[in-house]
Amino acid sequence: MARNKKGRNPNCTGSITKRKDGLYECKITVPGNGDGKKPRISKYFKTKKEAELFKAQVSRDIAAGQYVHSDIPVGEFLKEWYDNYTVNIRPSTRTNYKSYIENTIIPILGKEPLAKLTVGSVQRFFNNIKQNGSLKNKGAPLSDKTVKNIYAMFNQAMNQAVNNDLCKKNVLAGGVLPKSDPKKEMRVLTKDERVKLISVLDNIEEITALKNKEERAKKSSVRYNEDSFGYRYIIFVTLYTGARIGEVLALEWSDIDFENKSITINKSFNRVYDFDNDTG
């Protein structure tokens, strides 16, 4: 077989050599990223057969045009994906994506080369966040819904990475989400509990004043905040209407019909990231 001046196979199949420590080193020159450079990868194996299998697989991928050599870290790619491919989604969803990337994925996988992610590494990632949480929630286990949302977002990004020729396949497709927690039965207030809650809300000023008097008598610095009295009206509305907290916070005076004693729920309040004032 013809060889070039440096002794390398022209079809980039590389070479295998035995090291002094007994390991076999496989060196392969692979296609670059269009910048004129031809990266050379090197990998070590315990046996010559393992090295030959690796060399053969890479050679097949190169011949089929399926080999990808990309050193872009996961964190850098996700930031680029977020900036360029999430601009048309809802602000609330985009806010969640930003949090997932910055607080959950980057602290664990951020420096890993994108093209070197494996089914095993992403499986360990999801098992880890399910049990140990993220940077934002300070180690508390994540809910099943949050884990599924992170998977859905990460999966979208990885599909785009494949389309952009940054990696050969989407390794998330081969993973399994951690086992879901047993569903907890929803508990509602009993009639007696509702009566007691309403009584407390009706008499919150007197109760708060009494509590603060008791704390002062004990020479304690604890004080109950009288500025929170306004919150009782939010509790009243949710208790009597069943509206969600975001729906109650979004209410305006025009939504309340005092004459007919009715409230119109037609919008919801959500906390989202201010993308217009993003200074990076």
Side-chain angles (χ1 to χ4, degrees):
M1 180 181 292
R3 293 178 179 272
N4 59 21
K5 292 182 180 180
K6 293 185 179 181
R8 298 174 185 169
N9 290 337
N11 59 359
C12 301
T13 53
S15 62
I16 297 175
T17 56
K18 187 174 183 179
R19 294 159 43 99
K20 292 182 179 180
D21 58 7
L23 295 176
Y24 289 86
E25 182 180 11
C26 179
K27 294 181 179 180
I28 308 175
T29 301
V30 298
N33 296 321
D35 55 3
K37 299 179 181 179
K38 288 189 175 181
R40 190 165 172 80
I41 61 174
S42 177
K43 195 168 182 177
Y44 301 98
F45 300 89
K46 292 182 179 180
T47 66
K48 186 176 182 180
K49 184 177 181 179
E50 290 175 332
E52 290 174 340
L53 289 173
F54 172 75
K55 184 180 72 170
Q57 181 61 58
V58 173
S59 297
R60 286 194 293 270
D61 290 343
I62 292 173
Q66 296 178 343
Y67 185 83
V68 176
H69 180 79
S70 175
D71 293 327
I72 183 172
V74 171
E76 183 179 334
F77 163 72
L78 285 177
K79 288 180 179 178
E80 291 183 5
W81 173 81
Y82 174 81
D83 289 338
N84 294 306
Y85 294 95
T86 67
V87 292
N88 293 322
I89 63 176
R90 291 186 304 174
S92 58
T93 302
R94 198 162 185 241
T95 297
N96 288 336
Y97 282 6
K98 183 178 180 67
S99 177
Y100 297 157
I101 291 171
E102 295 181 351
N103 298 314
T104 307
I105 301 177
I106 286 181
I108 300 175
L109 294 176
K111 295 182 180 179
E112 292 291 321
L114 181 69
K116 293 183 180 180
L117 284 181
T118 65
V119 174
S121 65
V122 296
Q123 183 67 58
R124 288 190 292 274
F125 164 75
F126 281 104
N127 292 344
N128 183 9
I129 64 173
K130 172 62 179 173
Q131 295 298 322
N132 302 314
S134 65
L135 182 66
K136 185 176 182 180
N137 70 348
K138 299 179 181 179
L142 296 182
S143 69
D144 294 332
K145 185 177 185 300
T146 300
V147 173
K148 289 179 181 178
N149 288 346
I150 293 172
Y151 175 86
M153 184 213 71
F154 203 172
N155 187 56
Q156 288 182 47
M158 289 302 296
N159 281 334
Q160 192 63 54
V162 174
N163 292 337
N164 292 357
D165 294 325
L166 295 176
C167 55
K168 187 168 62 173
K169 65 178 182 178
N170 181 356
V171 293
L172 269 73
V176 178
L177 287 176
K179 185 177 179 181
S180 299
D181 296 325
K183 289 188 176 180
K184 296 180 179 179
E185 184 177 353
M186 180 148 324
R187 179 185 177 280
V188 297
L189 296 177
T190 65
K191 182 178 180 180
D192 289 341
E193 288 172 334
R194 291 197 299 271
V195 170
K196 184 176 182 181
L197 175 59
I198 292 171
S199 176
V200 170
L201 294 173
D202 282 337
N203 299 281
I204 191 67
E205 290 94 339
E206 293 82 356
I207 294 174
T208 302
L210 179 60
K211 287 289 185 180
N212 283 333
K213 183 177 180 180
E214 292 175 352
E215 293 298 331
R216 285 193 293 271
K218 293 188 296 185
K219 296 184 179 180
S220 169
S221 60
V222 174
R223 293 293 182 272
Y224 293 90
N225 188 2
E226 297 179 357
D227 295 335
S228 64
F229 291 162
Y231 293 145
R232 63 178 169 178
Y233 300 112
I234 296 176
I235 300 175
F236 272 131
V237 174
T238 56
L239 186 62
Y240 284 107
T241 66
R244 298 173 179 173
I245 185 65
E247 294 171 334
V248 175
L249 292 175
L251 286 174
E252 299 177 353
W253 287 114
S254 59
D255 299 321
I256 304 173
D257 187 339
F258 291 98
E259 183 177 346
N260 295 312
K261 298 181 180 179
S262 66
I263 295 176
T264 300
I265 304 291
N266 55 17
K267 51 188 171 295
S268 181
F269 177 85
N270 292 293
R271 184 174 63 178
V272 298
Y273 187 82
D274 186 359
F275 297 103
D276 291 335
N277 293 317
D278 187 354
T279 58

